Amino acid sequence: MEITVQCCKQSKNDPFDDNDSENGTLLPGLPDDLAQRCLSSLSPSLIFSVCHSWRRLLYSPSFPPFFSLYALLSPLHNPTMALHREVVPQSTIVFFSFDPISSSWRPLPSPPQNPSFHLLRRHPSFLSRNLPIQSLTVSNHLIVIAATTQNLFPALSSPLVFHPESNIWFYGPQISAPRRWCAAGSAQDVVYMASGFGSHYQGDVARSLEQWDLNKKRENWGWENKAGLKDGRFSREAVEAVGCRGKLCMVNVKGNALKEGAVYNVGLDKWEDMPVGMVAGWNGPAASMDEDEIYVIDEVKGRLSKYDGEKDCWVKVIELEQLKRAEHIAAGRGKICAVSAKGERIIVVDVRDKPTRFWEVEPPCGLEVVAVHVLPRMISRQH
């Protein structure tokens, strides 16, 4: 059913006058359940702009959720605390969601504090380097899987999980060997964690691959060992394991440095060599769109490219000054969301548009972006 909405000045006969808004009427003359079915075919931005009753419907739990941008952020000025005359860095990560319809940022509920929650972004011992905080999305969940404490130990013994549609945080199954600097990613609603570095280097951990299957019932969740890597070269840096067409693709070093690639075949539980063209063009952060296409940004040139598996080459989508120094990207709903300029900007590229269209989203005041993800919007009790 098509509905044409015409915006006009209100009059006494206007079906969207204040009385209708106050009474919650959606479409006069129709019961609300039928009206909701009609309105669900409209774009969320149009529903938001018409009247208050439609806007309330848009944010109600019964209406299909639109997708939003989720961000891990860090204060521009690193907070510290004096303890026994020593400067101790404090937890510097906060979580926000950007509503693309109202163009507003909202903080997520506070994560659980038991066990104590400390994810460190900066440390006085590493003035020129930010400590990695690894996060991913699986089955419409935001998952923080690896980070560092103020003592430079692994911060998470279990993944920290946020479910936007229920608006709650919880912990996943306990990790057998908590780690940082691992390769983390997902494929087919399964989380994978490869290699990594714990409180000290362990060869078996550095060569390991484990999976957590979110397709199973929650009471059956757990980490399972899978085919291990041939060596520990993927424990040097925190990297993305990009899921695409039943495989996980990863390189062991970020940026334009000389690197090695590896591909894990999910169905066969075996490791394969990465195609030469794929590893040669993997010169920055990468992400997959619906696990069907891999995109990468050359952090020096600011070039966004898509991988062509048949020709084993990267095809340029767009090259932008704003994409230079990109540190992290996420893909979803036909858009690439890139964190660049040392976390000071988020660039969104709509790869479905011809010509390709892009725009910038400003982070919340006083915060810089660590990572972004695309997930359904949070359920709002009141808007």
Side-chain angles (χ1 to χ4, degrees):
M1 179 182 296
E2 287 189 1
I3 300 176
T4 301
V5 178
Q6 294 181 344
C7 298
C8 59
K9 293 183 179 180
Q10 288 188 346
S11 66
K12 290 183 179 180
N13 296 322
D14 193 330
F16 302 121
D17 60 18
D18 290 340
N19 289 331
D20 284 326
S21 292
E22 291 177 3
N23 295 330
T25 301
L26 297 176
L27 292 174
L30 288 180
D32 281 354
D33 58 341
L34 181 56
Q36 180 172 327
R37 291 178 61 187
C38 296
L39 294 176
S40 64
S41 64
L42 300 179
S43 70
S45 57
L46 179 58
I47 294 174
F48 181 88
S49 65
V50 172
C51 64
H52 291 297
S53 61
W54 286 24
R55 187 177 297 183
R56 283 194 296 269
L57 172 67
L58 179 65
Y59 289 94
S60 69
S62 62
F63 200 75
F66 56 85
F67 279 71
S68 299
L69 189 66
Y70 287 73
L72 284 69
L73 303 118
S74 176
L76 289 171
H77 302 288
N78 190 28
T80 58
M81 178 183 69
L83 183 64
H84 303 302
R85 296 183 180 179
E86 293 185 5
V87 176
V88 180
Q90 298 299 289
S91 178
T92 59
I93 295 300
V94 292
F95 301 87
F96 274 71
S97 173
F98 180 76
D99 181 336
I101 308 303
S102 63
S103 297
S104 60
W105 287 98
R106 293 178 55 210
L108 271 61
S110 298
Q113 298 299 316
N114 187 18
S116 60
F117 179 74
H118 295 287
L119 305 182
L120 206 62
R121 179 64 170 166
R122 299 183 184 91
H123 193 280
S125 300
F126 301 92
L127 296 178
S128 62
R129 179 177 181 178
N130 291 326
L131 299 174
I133 297 169
Q134 295 180 259
S135 56
L136 60 148
T137 57
V138 184
S139 189
N140 289 338
H141 291 73
L142 170 64
I143 299 177
V144 184
I145 198 167
T148 303
T149 67
Q150 61 192 29
N151 296 321
L152 302 180
F153 291 153
L156 295 167
S157 58
S158 298
L160 179 63
V161 185
F162 180 70
H163 185 232
E165 295 177 62
S166 60
N167 223 0
I168 60 170
W169 290 94
F170 59 91
Y171 283 101
Q174 185 169 352
I175 300 169
S176 59
R179 65 197 75 181
R180 28 188 199 129
W181 303 343
C182 60
S186 66
Q188 301 170 359
D189 292 337
V190 178
V191 179
Y192 290 89
M193 181 167 55
S195 193
F197 193 100
S199 56
H200 59 279
Y201 178 82
Q202 292 178 278
D204 55 343
V205 172
R207 293 186 298 272
S208 68
L209 173 68
E210 297 182 50
Q211 73 168 34
W212 163 30
D213 190 349
L214 272 75
N215 295 296
K216 296 182 178 180
K217 294 182 178 180
R218 189 165 174 177
E219 57 268 24
N220 296 325
W221 280 355
W223 290 94
E224 305 172 43
N225 290 320
K226 307 301 289 184
L229 291 151
K230 63 181 180 180
D231 55 45
R233 295 182 184 181
F234 282 81
S235 64
R236 298 173 180 175
E237 197 163 3
V239 295
E240 309 97 349
V242 181
C244 184
R245 302 182 184 182
K247 296 184 178 182
L248 280 173
C249 306
M250 63 191 80
V251 294
N252 66 331
V253 179
K254 289 179 176 289
N256 278 271
L258 184 65
K259 59 180 66 68
E260 296 182 20
V263 176
Y264 174 70
N265 188 312
V266 173
L268 299 179
D269 186 27
K270 62 178 289 188
W271 290 93
E272 304 169 354
D273 293 332
M274 179 175 282
V276 175
M278 177 182 275
V279 69
W282 198 308
N283 293 321
S288 68
M289 184 79 70
D290 303 322
E291 296 189 15
D292 185 59
E293 296 175 322
I294 299 179
Y295 290 83
V296 69
I297 294 179
D298 187 312
E299 60 185 31
V300 173
K301 298 178 180 178
R303 178 185 298 165
L304 172 65
S305 302
K306 180 175 67 173
Y307 181 67
D308 184 334
E310 293 185 1
K311 298 180 180 179
D312 187 26
C313 67
W314 294 91
V315 180
K316 186 177 87 169
V317 176
I318 193 172
E319 189 167 323
L320 298 170
E321 184 71 22
Q322 295 91 329
L323 292 177
K324 290 182 178 179
R325 296 186 296 158
E327 299 174 355
H328 175 87
I329 67 171
R333 315 297 290 180
K335 298 176 178 63
I336 302 296
C337 305
V339 179
S340 64
K342 296 183 178 180
E344 295 180 6
R345 62 168 55 139
I346 302 170
I347 304 300
V348 182
V349 181
D350 192 332
V351 296
R352 297 173 300 185
D353 279 359
K354 303 296 180 185
T356 305
R357 189 167 59 97
F358 70 94
W359 60 94
E360 183 175 338
V361 176
E362 291 187 3
C365 184
L367 298 170
E368 64 182 17
V369 186
V370 177
V372 291
H373 299 283
V374 179
L375 287 164
R377 55 97 178 160
M378 291 189 294
I379 297 296
S380 177
R381 293 184 174 87
Q382 185 177 2
H383 193 87

